[in-house]
Amino acid sequence: MELDFNFCGFNRSEFFKNEYKQKIKDIHKKLHQNDHSIGTTWVDWPIKYDKNELILIQSLAKKIQDNSDVLLVVGIGGSYLGAKAGIDMLQKNNKLEIIFAGTNLDFSDLKRKLEKIKNKDVTVNVISKSGTTIEILVTLNIIEKFMKNKYNEDYKSRIIFTTDKNKGYLRERANTEGIQTLSVPDDMGGRYSVLSAVGLLPFAVAGINIKNILKGAGRAYKDLSECSIELNLAYQYAIYRHYVYTHINKKVEIYSSFSTKLASFGLWLQQLFCESEGKAGKGLFVSTLGYTTDLHSVGQYIQQGSQIVAETFMYVKNPNCDCIISKVQTDSPIYFLNGKTINDINNAAFYGTIKAHMDAKVPIVVLIFDKINEYNFGYLVYFFELACATSAYLLQVNPFDQPGVEQYKRYMKDCLN
Ligand code: PA5
């Protein structure tokens, strides 16, 4: 993975100032201290993950592949966005379908999904660290009736709870009713949990090689364990974001990509950064766009609207497939593209967009990786988790809490009492 800062519009030597050096040193120490109680279990997870649980995940995945057509994943926020990102990026064949539920309270959505799978064999994976999230428990209530109707009392053998190791409603129910469980590790918040059972079970069921994901994350852990701005790309990227926010006065960061496979990854990034940094009146608002689709809509704003946007492009060097444009008629407006491939044209759109956005003085950084695969997914996840936590600490906010989310949950309960 590379980061290209050549299009950012300012001198990178700003990053290496003493002010940042000392701050990064302090943050590095905090993230790598042995006490994980502040929420840093994810930091050395790529080398310390639970090997026995990995074996259990693989055997459960095999069982589900053998006896189900559909895995219904019930989770919200950090308990689903990472899994969805990985599946949309990596799943190759859709023999076994992964469907996400519990992501809203619009019953028409759940009804449509259940209708679609009523004649199929289904396993349900409910993911909730707290085990108390209303969207999840309400959805589970409805899904349990659906499953009971299909499988009678035996339906519980088709349910897996991924939840806190020791506490919460789901853990207690699992203990008393003998429901299969997997664990969300201690001191690992939802948005930092995709490399645990939260993401790994859905990935394994989807036929994605989870060992390669962990290998990629392990490599990122190694590459990014240096307390050095010069060598550590995650720290460079965190400083870049901080500089763009505090010195260039940008308020929004857009993750853009020309690959549709990265769309859900962009949504995971949106949550990771917004929930980690958006506190105490601070933080870049993070969003994601898919090009060229959004160049025909939002692109106009980025170039000529309020000058509040910075942009991170995610660029895949070698897309998985391509197609030649051939036999174009001489009078066609695209005759000049005869013999070019779709990827040639997509690349031209990429460079053209960079040029146009640079003309508009949008600070741009390009994150380049060679191809979409399991290893790179694991690498990117770890890179962004580290960059995000560092970036939040540079803003002097806690990357691992979400007081706003808790407040919304409380107010919602109040309205129902
Ligand atoms: O990242 C987070 O911590 C949140 O988005 C949670 O994942 C989300 O609120 C769901 O919580 P839970 O897993 O407890 O159901």
Side-chain angles (χ1 to χ4, degrees), residues 29-59:
K29 204 168 152 200
K30 208 171 197 173
L31 289 172
H32 287 274
Q33 67 194 2
N34 274 334
D35 174 12
H36 286 153
S37 63
I38 54 170
T40 49
T41 300
W42 59 272
V43 174
D44 49 17
W45 187 253
I47 54 161
K48 292 211 174 137
Y49 64 86
D50 183 340
K51 314 285 180 301
N52 291 331
E53 190 161 73
L54 193 74
I55 296 169
L56 174 61
I57 289 170
Q58 286 176 314
S59 78

PDB file of all heavy atoms in Angstrom, residues 29-59:
ATOM      1  N   LYS A  29       2.607   5.611  22.383  1.00  0.00           N
ATOM      2  CA  LYS A  29       2.765   4.981  23.708  1.00  0.00           C
ATOM      3  C   LYS A  29       1.393   4.552  24.257  1.00  0.00           C
ATOM      4  O   LYS A  29       1.213   3.433  24.743  1.00  0.00           O
ATOM      5  CB  LYS A  29       3.411   6.011  24.639  1.00  0.00           C
ATOM      6  CG  LYS A  29       4.139   5.404  25.791  1.00  0.00           C
ATOM      7  CD  LYS A  29       4.979   6.443  26.487  1.00  0.00           C
ATOM      8  CE  LYS A  29       5.119   6.029  27.944  1.00  0.00           C
ATOM      9  NZ  LYS A  29       5.482   7.138  28.785  1.00  0.00           N
ATOM     10  N   LYS A  30       0.430   5.450  24.119  1.00  0.00           N
ATOM     11  CA  LYS A  30      -0.916   5.182  24.629  1.00  0.00           C
ATOM     12  C   LYS A  30      -1.543   3.971  23.917  1.00  0.00           C
ATOM     13  O   LYS A  30      -2.142   3.095  24.534  1.00  0.00           O
ATOM     14  CB  LYS A  30      -1.773   6.416  24.345  1.00  0.00           C
ATOM     15  CG  LYS A  30      -2.908   6.643  25.275  1.00  0.00           C
ATOM     16  CD  LYS A  30      -3.456   8.000  24.950  1.00  0.00           C
ATOM     17  CE  LYS A  30      -4.313   8.558  26.013  1.00  0.00           C
ATOM     18  NZ  LYS A  30      -4.691   9.931  25.750  1.00  0.00           N
ATOM     19  N   LEU A  31      -1.380   3.930  22.601  1.00  0.00           N
ATOM     20  CA  LEU A  31      -2.002   2.846  21.829  1.00  0.00           C
ATOM     21  C   LEU A  31      -1.330   1.501  22.088  1.00  0.00           C
ATOM     22  O   LEU A  31      -1.980   0.460  22.033  1.00  0.00           O
ATOM     23  CB  LEU A  31      -1.946   3.156  20.329  1.00  0.00           C
ATOM     24  CG  LEU A  31      -2.861   4.273  19.831  1.00  0.00           C
ATOM     25  CD1 LEU A  31      -2.572   4.610  18.371  1.00  0.00           C
ATOM     26  CD2 LEU A  31      -4.334   3.897  19.990  1.00  0.00           C
ATOM     27  N   HIS A  32      -0.020   1.540  22.349  1.00  0.00           N
ATOM     28  CA  HIS A  32       0.719   0.276  22.478  1.00  0.00           C
ATOM     29  C   HIS A  32       0.965  -0.141  23.924  1.00  0.00           C
ATOM     30  O   HIS A  32       1.685  -1.107  24.156  1.00  0.00           O
ATOM     31  CB  HIS A  32       2.031   0.356  21.705  1.00  0.00           C
ATOM     32  CG  HIS A  32       1.819   0.305  20.218  1.00  0.00           C
ATOM     33  ND1 HIS A  32       1.714  -0.867  19.504  1.00  0.00           N
ATOM     34  CD2 HIS A  32       1.636   1.300  19.321  1.00  0.00           C
ATOM     35  CE1 HIS A  32       1.501  -0.599  18.231  1.00  0.00           C
ATOM     36  NE2 HIS A  32       1.447   0.712  18.082  1.00  0.00           N
ATOM     37  N   GLN A  33       0.377   0.573  24.896  1.00  0.00           N
ATOM     38  CA  GLN A  33       0.581   0.148  26.279  1.00  0.00           C
ATOM     39  C   GLN A  33      -0.148  -1.183  26.499  1.00  0.00           C
ATOM     40  O   GLN A  33      -1.114  -1.485  25.796  1.00  0.00           O
ATOM     41  CB  GLN A  33       0.087   1.201  27.258  1.00  0.00           C
ATOM     42  CG  GLN A  33      -1.422   1.389  27.231  1.00  0.00           C
ATOM     43  CD  GLN A  33      -1.865   2.654  27.960  1.00  0.00           C
ATOM     44  OE1 GLN A  33      -1.059   3.413  28.447  1.00  0.00           O
ATOM     45  NE2 GLN A  33      -3.162   2.859  28.029  1.00  0.00           N
ATOM     46  N   ASN A  34       0.310  -1.954  27.449  1.00  0.00           N
ATOM     47  CA  ASN A  34      -0.278  -3.285  27.618  1.00  0.00           C
ATOM     48  C   ASN A  34      -1.693  -3.274  28.172  1.00  0.00           C
ATOM     49  O   ASN A  34      -2.451  -4.210  27.980  1.00  0.00           O
ATOM     50  CB  ASN A  34       0.627  -4.148  28.499  1.00  0.00           C
ATOM     51  CG  ASN A  34       1.687  -4.803  27.631  1.00  0.00           C
ATOM     52  OD1 ASN A  34       1.461  -4.994  26.431  1.00  0.00           O
ATOM     53  ND2 ASN A  34       2.838  -5.096  28.216  1.00  0.00           N
ATOM     54  N   ASP A  35      -2.065  -2.170  28.832  1.00  0.00           N
ATOM     55  CA  ASP A  35      -3.412  -2.066  29.391  1.00  0.00           C
ATOM     56  C   ASP A  35      -4.389  -1.663  28.274  1.00  0.00           C
ATOM     57  O   ASP A  35      -4.332  -0.555  27.745  1.00  0.00           O
ATOM     58  CB  ASP A  35      -3.395  -0.996  30.495  1.00  0.00           C
ATOM     59  CG  ASP A  35      -4.787  -0.738  31.028  1.00  0.00           C
ATOM     60  OD1 ASP A  35      -5.701  -1.528  30.711  1.00  0.00           O
ATOM     61  OD2 ASP A  35      -4.958   0.258  31.757  1.00  0.00           O
ATOM     62  N   HIS A  36      -5.287  -2.596  27.899  1.00  0.00           N
ATOM     63  CA  HIS A  36      -6.212  -2.332  26.800  1.00  0.00           C
ATOM     64  C   HIS A  36      -7.518  -1.708  27.258  1.00  0.00           C
ATOM     65  O   HIS A  36      -8.430  -1.521  26.453  1.00  0.00           O
ATOM     66  CB  HIS A  36      -6.528  -3.640  26.063  1.00  0.00           C
ATOM     67  CG  HIS A  36      -5.393  -4.124  25.209  1.00  0.00           C
ATOM     68  ND1 HIS A  36      -5.196  -5.441  24.911  1.00  0.00           N
ATOM     69  CD2 HIS A  36      -4.401  -3.458  24.588  1.00  0.00           C
ATOM     70  CE1 HIS A  36      -4.129  -5.583  24.148  1.00  0.00           C
ATOM     71  NE2 HIS A  36      -3.628  -4.389  23.941  1.00  0.00           N
ATOM     72  N   SER A  37      -7.617  -1.424  28.565  1.00  0.00           N
ATOM     73  CA  SER A  37      -8.937  -1.033  29.089  1.00  0.00           C
ATOM     74  C   SER A  37      -9.469   0.266  28.493  1.00  0.00           C
ATOM     75  O   SER A  37     -10.659   0.547  28.574  1.00  0.00           O
ATOM     76  CB  SER A  37      -8.897  -0.941  30.624  1.00  0.00           C
ATOM     77  OG  SER A  37      -7.985   0.084  30.972  1.00  0.00           O
ATOM     78  N   ILE A  38      -8.608   1.065  27.834  1.00  0.00           N
ATOM     79  CA  ILE A  38      -9.124   2.289  27.193  1.00  0.00           C
ATOM     80  C   ILE A  38      -9.820   1.975  25.857  1.00  0.00           C
ATOM     81  O   ILE A  38     -10.378   2.860  25.220  1.00  0.00           O
ATOM     82  CB  ILE A  38      -8.015   3.355  26.966  1.00  0.00           C
ATOM     83  CG1 ILE A  38      -6.835   2.751  26.176  1.00  0.00           C
ATOM     84  CG2 ILE A  38      -7.559   3.965  28.271  1.00  0.00           C
ATOM     85  CD1 ILE A  38      -5.823   3.803  25.697  1.00  0.00           C
ATOM     86  N   GLY A  39      -9.746   0.720  25.421  1.00  0.00           N
ATOM     87  CA  GLY A  39     -10.431   0.337  24.171  1.00  0.00           C
ATOM     88  C   GLY A  39      -9.477  -0.039  23.056  1.00  0.00           C
ATOM     89  O   GLY A  39      -9.836   0.015  21.879  1.00  0.00           O
ATOM     90  N   THR A  40      -8.257  -0.463  23.403  1.00  0.00           N
ATOM     91  CA  THR A  40      -7.229  -0.689  22.380  1.00  0.00           C
ATOM     92  C   THR A  40      -6.931  -2.174  22.097  1.00  0.00           C
ATOM     93  O   THR A  40      -5.883  -2.489  21.542  1.00  0.00           O
ATOM     94  CB  THR A  40      -5.915   0.016  22.784  1.00  0.00           C
ATOM     95  OG1 THR A  40      -5.617  -0.345  24.152  1.00  0.00           O
ATOM     96  CG2 THR A  40      -6.021   1.511  22.664  1.00  0.00           C
ATOM     97  N   THR A  41      -7.841  -3.063  22.442  1.00  0.00           N
ATOM     98  CA  THR A  41      -7.602  -4.489  22.183  1.00  0.00           C
ATOM     99  C   THR A  41      -7.298  -4.748  20.702  1.00  0.00           C
ATOM    100  O   THR A  41      -6.542  -5.656  20.349  1.00  0.00           O
ATOM    101  CB  THR A  41      -8.838  -5.318  22.614  1.00  0.00           C
ATOM    102  OG1 THR A  41      -9.044  -5.092  23.994  1.00  0.00           O
ATOM    103  CG2 THR A  41      -8.662  -6.808  22.372  1.00  0.00           C
ATOM    104  N   TRP A  42      -7.893  -3.933  19.806  1.00  0.00           N
ATOM    105  CA  TRP A  42      -7.696  -4.143  18.366  1.00  0.00           C
ATOM    106  C   TRP A  42      -6.240  -3.902  17.938  1.00  0.00           C
ATOM    107  O   TRP A  42      -5.814  -4.410  16.902  1.00  0.00           O
ATOM    108  CB  TRP A  42      -8.622  -3.209  17.552  1.00  0.00           C
ATOM    109  CG  TRP A  42      -8.378  -1.758  17.859  1.00  0.00           C
ATOM    110  CD1 TRP A  42      -8.972  -1.028  18.840  1.00  0.00           C
ATOM    111  CD2 TRP A  42      -7.430  -0.883  17.234  1.00  0.00           C
ATOM    112  NE1 TRP A  42      -8.460   0.250  18.859  1.00  0.00           N
ATOM    113  CE2 TRP A  42      -7.513   0.364  17.877  1.00  0.00           C
ATOM    114  CE3 TRP A  42      -6.517  -1.034  16.187  1.00  0.00           C
ATOM    115  CZ2 TRP A  42      -6.720   1.456  17.517  1.00  0.00           C
ATOM    116  CZ3 TRP A  42      -5.735   0.048  15.827  1.00  0.00           C
ATOM    117  CH2 TRP A  42      -5.836   1.272  16.480  1.00  0.00           C
ATOM    118  N   VAL A  43      -5.462  -3.159  18.742  1.00  0.00           N
ATOM    119  CA  VAL A  43      -4.128  -2.734  18.288  1.00  0.00           C
ATOM    120  C   VAL A  43      -3.221  -3.932  18.003  1.00  0.00           C
ATOM    121  O   VAL A  43      -2.612  -4.010  16.945  1.00  0.00           O
ATOM    122  CB  VAL A  43      -3.471  -1.758  19.299  1.00  0.00           C
ATOM    123  CG1 VAL A  43      -2.031  -1.445  18.887  1.00  0.00           C
ATOM    124  CG2 VAL A  43      -4.272  -0.471  19.399  1.00  0.00           C
ATOM    125  N   ASP A  44      -3.120  -4.886  18.956  1.00  0.00           N
ATOM    126  CA  ASP A  44      -2.269  -6.040  18.650  1.00  0.00           C
ATOM    127  C   ASP A  44      -3.090  -7.307  18.318  1.00  0.00           C
ATOM    128  O   ASP A  44      -2.561  -8.419  18.271  1.00  0.00           O
ATOM    129  CB  ASP A  44      -1.244  -6.312  19.766  1.00  0.00           C
ATOM    130  CG  ASP A  44      -1.872  -6.341  21.138  1.00  0.00           C
ATOM    131  OD1 ASP A  44      -3.110  -6.467  21.201  1.00  0.00           O
ATOM    132  OD2 ASP A  44      -1.134  -6.250  22.135  1.00  0.00           O
ATOM    133  N   TRP A  45      -4.373  -7.099  18.044  1.00  0.00           N
ATOM    134  CA  TRP A  45      -5.251  -8.215  17.694  1.00  0.00           C
ATOM    135  C   TRP A  45      -4.737  -9.037  16.497  1.00  0.00           C
ATOM    136  O   TRP A  45      -4.794 -10.284  16.518  1.00  0.00           O
ATOM    137  CB  TRP A  45      -6.667  -7.678  17.412  1.00  0.00           C
ATOM    138  CG  TRP A  45      -7.692  -8.743  17.195  1.00  0.00           C
ATOM    139  CD1 TRP A  45      -8.264  -9.096  16.003  1.00  0.00           C
ATOM    140  CD2 TRP A  45      -8.271  -9.599  18.180  1.00  0.00           C
ATOM    141  NE1 TRP A  45      -9.170 -10.107  16.185  1.00  0.00           N
ATOM    142  CE2 TRP A  45      -9.190 -10.439  17.526  1.00  0.00           C
ATOM    143  CE3 TRP A  45      -8.105  -9.733  19.561  1.00  0.00           C
ATOM    144  CZ2 TRP A  45      -9.942 -11.404  18.186  1.00  0.00           C
ATOM    145  CZ3 TRP A  45      -8.857 -10.701  20.231  1.00  0.00           C
ATOM    146  CH2 TRP A  45      -9.759 -11.517  19.534  1.00  0.00           C
ATOM    147  N   PRO A  46      -4.194  -8.417  15.448  1.00  0.00           N
ATOM    148  CA  PRO A  46      -3.728  -9.230  14.306  1.00  0.00           C
ATOM    149  C   PRO A  46      -2.670 -10.259  14.680  1.00  0.00           C
ATOM    150  O   PRO A  46      -2.472 -11.238  13.956  1.00  0.00           O
ATOM    151  CB  PRO A  46      -3.135  -8.191  13.341  1.00  0.00           C
ATOM    152  CG  PRO A  46      -3.855  -6.935  13.660  1.00  0.00           C
ATOM    153  CD  PRO A  46      -4.094  -6.971  15.160  1.00  0.00           C
ATOM    154  N   ILE A  47      -1.971 -10.075  15.810  1.00  0.00           N
ATOM    155  CA  ILE A  47      -1.018 -11.124  16.207  1.00  0.00           C
ATOM    156  C   ILE A  47      -1.491 -11.873  17.452  1.00  0.00           C
ATOM    157  O   ILE A  47      -0.958 -12.919  17.792  1.00  0.00           O
ATOM    158  CB  ILE A  47       0.418 -10.559  16.429  1.00  0.00           C
ATOM    159  CG1 ILE A  47       0.385  -9.389  17.415  1.00  0.00           C
ATOM    160  CG2 ILE A  47       1.070 -10.147  15.125  1.00  0.00           C
ATOM    161  CD1 ILE A  47       1.732  -9.093  18.022  1.00  0.00           C
ATOM    162  N   LYS A  48      -2.523 -11.316  18.119  1.00  0.00           N
ATOM    163  CA  LYS A  48      -2.950 -11.960  19.372  1.00  0.00           C
ATOM    164  C   LYS A  48      -4.370 -12.512  19.319  1.00  0.00           C
ATOM    165  O   LYS A  48      -4.957 -12.832  20.343  1.00  0.00           O
ATOM    166  CB  LYS A  48      -2.862 -10.940  20.516  1.00  0.00           C
ATOM    167  CG  LYS A  48      -1.445 -10.530  20.856  1.00  0.00           C
ATOM    168  CD  LYS A  48      -1.296 -10.183  22.317  1.00  0.00           C
ATOM    169  CE  LYS A  48       0.133  -9.914  22.679  1.00  0.00           C
ATOM    170  NZ  LYS A  48       0.281  -8.753  23.545  1.00  0.00           N
ATOM    171  N   TYR A  49      -4.941 -12.581  18.112  1.00  0.00           N
ATOM    172  CA  TYR A  49      -6.337 -13.040  18.031  1.00  0.00           C
ATOM    173  C   TYR A  49      -6.456 -14.461  18.570  1.00  0.00           C
ATOM    174  O   TYR A  49      -5.495 -15.225  18.610  1.00  0.00           O
ATOM    175  CB  TYR A  49      -6.850 -12.936  16.589  1.00  0.00           C
ATOM    176  CG  TYR A  49      -6.133 -13.819  15.604  1.00  0.00           C
ATOM    177  CD1 TYR A  49      -6.507 -15.132  15.398  1.00  0.00           C
ATOM    178  CD2 TYR A  49      -5.060 -13.324  14.863  1.00  0.00           C
ATOM    179  CE1 TYR A  49      -5.835 -15.950  14.506  1.00  0.00           C
ATOM    180  CE2 TYR A  49      -4.390 -14.133  13.960  1.00  0.00           C
ATOM    181  CZ  TYR A  49      -4.776 -15.440  13.787  1.00  0.00           C
ATOM    182  OH  TYR A  49      -4.105 -16.237  12.905  1.00  0.00           O
ATOM    183  N   ASP A  50      -7.696 -14.780  18.962  1.00  0.00           N
ATOM    184  CA  ASP A  50      -7.961 -16.055  19.615  1.00  0.00           C
ATOM    185  C   ASP A  50      -7.952 -17.198  18.572  1.00  0.00           C
ATOM    186  O   ASP A  50      -8.882 -17.341  17.779  1.00  0.00           O
ATOM    187  CB  ASP A  50      -9.346 -15.929  20.301  1.00  0.00           C
ATOM    188  CG  ASP A  50      -9.716 -17.164  21.079  1.00  0.00           C
ATOM    189  OD1 ASP A  50      -9.137 -18.236  20.807  1.00  0.00           O
ATOM    190  OD2 ASP A  50     -10.607 -17.058  21.947  1.00  0.00           O
ATOM    191  N   LYS A  51      -6.880 -17.995  18.593  1.00  0.00           N
ATOM    192  CA  LYS A  51      -6.696 -19.041  17.564  1.00  0.00           C
ATOM    193  C   LYS A  51      -7.771 -20.134  17.682  1.00  0.00           C
ATOM    194  O   LYS A  51      -8.210 -20.693  16.689  1.00  0.00           O
ATOM    195  CB  LYS A  51      -5.305 -19.702  17.673  1.00  0.00           C
ATOM    196  CG  LYS A  51      -4.132 -18.727  17.838  1.00  0.00           C
ATOM    197  CD  LYS A  51      -3.762 -18.012  16.564  1.00  0.00           C
ATOM    198  CE  LYS A  51      -2.612 -17.036  16.671  1.00  0.00           C
ATOM    199  NZ  LYS A  51      -2.650 -15.905  17.575  1.00  0.00           N
ATOM    200  N   ASN A  52      -8.201 -20.418  18.932  1.00  0.00           N
ATOM    201  CA  ASN A  52      -9.230 -21.460  19.098  1.00  0.00           C
ATOM    202  C   ASN A  52     -10.554 -20.990  18.523  1.00  0.00           C
ATOM    203  O   ASN A  52     -11.299 -21.758  17.916  1.00  0.00           O
ATOM    204  CB  ASN A  52      -9.418 -21.813  20.580  1.00  0.00           C
ATOM    205  CG  ASN A  52      -8.206 -22.535  21.104  1.00  0.00           C
ATOM    206  OD1 ASN A  52      -7.528 -23.228  20.342  1.00  0.00           O
ATOM    207  ND2 ASN A  52      -7.903 -22.358  22.378  1.00  0.00           N
ATOM    208  N   GLU A  53     -10.836 -19.692  18.723  1.00  0.00           N
ATOM    209  CA  GLU A  53     -12.099 -19.192  18.191  1.00  0.00           C
ATOM    210  C   GLU A  53     -12.071 -19.214  16.659  1.00  0.00           C
ATOM    211  O   GLU A  53     -13.094 -19.447  16.011  1.00  0.00           O
ATOM    212  CB  GLU A  53     -12.422 -17.792  18.713  1.00  0.00           C
ATOM    213  CG  GLU A  53     -13.849 -17.427  18.341  1.00  0.00           C
ATOM    214  CD  GLU A  53     -14.444 -16.306  19.149  1.00  0.00           C
ATOM    215  OE1 GLU A  53     -14.039 -15.160  18.939  1.00  0.00           O
ATOM    216  OE2 GLU A  53     -15.331 -16.565  19.980  1.00  0.00           O
ATOM    217  N   LEU A  54     -10.888 -18.990  16.085  1.00  0.00           N
ATOM    218  CA  LEU A  54     -10.781 -19.029  14.622  1.00  0.00           C
ATOM    219  C   LEU A  54     -11.173 -20.422  14.098  1.00  0.00           C
ATOM    220  O   LEU A  54     -11.894 -20.548  13.105  1.00  0.00           O
ATOM    221  CB  LEU A  54      -9.349 -18.694  14.182  1.00  0.00           C
ATOM    222  CG  LEU A  54      -9.224 -18.394  12.694  1.00  0.00           C
ATOM    223  CD1 LEU A  54      -9.799 -17.027  12.365  1.00  0.00           C
ATOM    224  CD2 LEU A  54      -7.778 -18.469  12.243  1.00  0.00           C
ATOM    225  N   ILE A  55     -10.734 -21.457  14.821  1.00  0.00           N
ATOM    226  CA  ILE A  55     -11.088 -22.837  14.416  1.00  0.00           C
ATOM    227  C   ILE A  55     -12.596 -23.043  14.526  1.00  0.00           C
ATOM    228  O   ILE A  55     -13.245 -23.601  13.638  1.00  0.00           O
ATOM    229  CB  ILE A  55     -10.310 -23.864  15.275  1.00  0.00           C
ATOM    230  CG1 ILE A  55      -8.812 -23.721  14.987  1.00  0.00           C
ATOM    231  CG2 ILE A  55     -10.778 -25.287  15.018  1.00  0.00           C
ATOM    232  CD1 ILE A  55      -7.902 -24.470  15.945  1.00  0.00           C
ATOM    233  N   LEU A  56     -13.167 -22.524  15.629  1.00  0.00           N
ATOM    234  CA  LEU A  56     -14.615 -22.642  15.816  1.00  0.00           C
ATOM    235  C   LEU A  56     -15.360 -21.908  14.683  1.00  0.00           C
ATOM    236  O   LEU A  56     -16.326 -22.436  14.113  1.00  0.00           O
ATOM    237  CB  LEU A  56     -15.005 -22.065  17.193  1.00  0.00           C
ATOM    238  CG  LEU A  56     -16.486 -21.975  17.504  1.00  0.00           C
ATOM    239  CD1 LEU A  56     -17.148 -23.362  17.483  1.00  0.00           C
ATOM    240  CD2 LEU A  56     -16.739 -21.313  18.879  1.00  0.00           C
ATOM    241  N   ILE A  57     -14.897 -20.716  14.343  1.00  0.00           N
ATOM    242  CA  ILE A  57     -15.539 -19.934  13.270  1.00  0.00           C
ATOM    243  C   ILE A  57     -15.512 -20.734  11.967  1.00  0.00           C
ATOM    244  O   ILE A  57     -16.517 -20.827  11.259  1.00  0.00           O
ATOM    245  CB  ILE A  57     -14.817 -18.567  13.086  1.00  0.00           C
ATOM    246  CG1 ILE A  57     -15.113 -17.646  14.272  1.00  0.00           C
ATOM    247  CG2 ILE A  57     -15.220 -17.902  11.772  1.00  0.00           C
ATOM    248  CD1 ILE A  57     -14.287 -16.376  14.327  1.00  0.00           C
ATOM    249  N   GLN A  58     -14.371 -21.350  11.675  1.00  0.00           N
ATOM    250  CA  GLN A  58     -14.280 -22.102  10.416  1.00  0.00           C
ATOM    251  C   GLN A  58     -15.191 -23.320  10.411  1.00  0.00           C
ATOM    252  O   GLN A  58     -15.814 -23.630   9.396  1.00  0.00           O
ATOM    253  CB  GLN A  58     -12.823 -22.494  10.151  1.00  0.00           C
ATOM    254  CG  GLN A  58     -12.034 -21.267   9.700  1.00  0.00           C
ATOM    255  CD  GLN A  58     -10.563 -21.534   9.504  1.00  0.00           C
ATOM    256  OE1 GLN A  58      -9.929 -22.166  10.344  1.00  0.00           O
ATOM    257  NE2 GLN A  58      -9.999 -21.044   8.412  1.00  0.00           N
ATOM    258  N   SER A  59     -15.324 -23.968  11.579  1.00  0.00           N
ATOM    259  CA  SER A  59     -16.202 -25.150  11.566  1.00  0.00           C
ATOM    260  C   SER A  59     -17.679 -24.731  11.527  1.00  0.00           C
ATOM    261  O   SER A  59     -18.490 -25.383  10.869  1.00  0.00           O
ATOM    262  CB  SER A  59     -15.877 -26.102  12.724  1.00  0.00           C
ATOM    263  OG  SER A  59     -16.419 -25.618  13.906  1.00  0.00           O
TER     264      SER A  59
END
